[in-house]
Amino acid sequence: DTLAEIAPTYACRGNGDDGSGGRPRQPDHPTLQENWVVTLGGLTIGLTHWVPVPETPGIVNLAGACERFFGGVTPDVIVHGDTHVEDIREVNGILCVNPGSPTFPHNLNYQFGTIGFIDIDVDTLAPSASIWQVSDHGIETFDWLRWGPRPW
């Protein structure tokens, strides 16, 4: 609710928020849904907990996820989470951004993690993304080499 006082706020239910794994089910809230499709700055942005990035050809793909989670809408940008591992990549013309986790990076333990920003070029409407490290002092440039190569 505090964030909603300064900016539009959207949250997606993830595994565990539904009461699985012995965790309490998170209560319903107007800013909490399974998935969102929003238009910001002229771009369509899909928000969801999980998408198949990277894709697994023949098993799961981003087009199928768009059909399932966004009602067939193909967003310009998809923001997703699940792994708590920061990632920015383009898949089939869609900018896919996993900002990581601000408090539980890489599902390891509670510590400062990462957040992401999406910037929209006002002239071209081209989106770009960046990942930032949360620290005692606010945010700092993220070191992509800190965690080593991703296992996938």
Side-chain angles (χ1 to χ4, degrees):
D1 291 333
T2 302
L3 286 176
E5 293 176 13
I6 60 172
T9 304
Y10 306 93
C12 295
R13 267 190 207 283
N15 56 317
D17 294 334
D18 59 1
S20 63
R23 294 173 274 202
R25 184 181 193 287
Q26 295 304 303
D28 291 334
H29 191 276
T31 63
L32 179 64
Q33 293 188 140
E34 298 296 324
N35 311 290
W36 292 89
V37 176
V38 297
T39 301
L40 298 172
L43 293 177
T44 302
I45 301 174
L47 301 122
T48 190
H49 181 72
W50 173 86
V51 290
V53 174
E55 294 182 305
T56 306
I59 300 173
V60 292
N61 60 47
L62 204 52
C66 288
E67 182 67 37
R68 178 178 175 194
F69 300 138
F70 309 128
V73 171
T74 301
D76 300 297
V77 178
I78 295 176
V79 179
H80 61 100
D82 186 48
T83 64
H84 297 216
V85 175
E86 57 288 322
D87 187 55
I88 301 171
R89 68 177 72 203
E90 188 172 307
V91 178
N92 302 327
I94 302 170
L95 179 63
C96 297
V97 181
N98 184 335
S101 171
T103 57
F104 203 58
H106 296 239
N107 285 312
L108 296 176
N109 55 35
Y110 291 104
Q111 61 184 306
F112 285 129
T114 54
I115 59 173
F117 287 90
I118 297 173
D119 294 305
I120 303 171
D121 184 293
V122 294
D123 296 321
T124 65
L125 294 183
S128 61
S130 58
I131 303 293
W132 294 84
Q133 179 69 48
V134 178
S135 74
D136 283 321
H137 310 291
I139 59 172
E140 303 170 355
T141 302
F142 177 66
D143 177 5
W144 285 94
L145 301 176
R146 175 180 179 194
W147 299 101
R150 290 178 53 146
W152 55 91

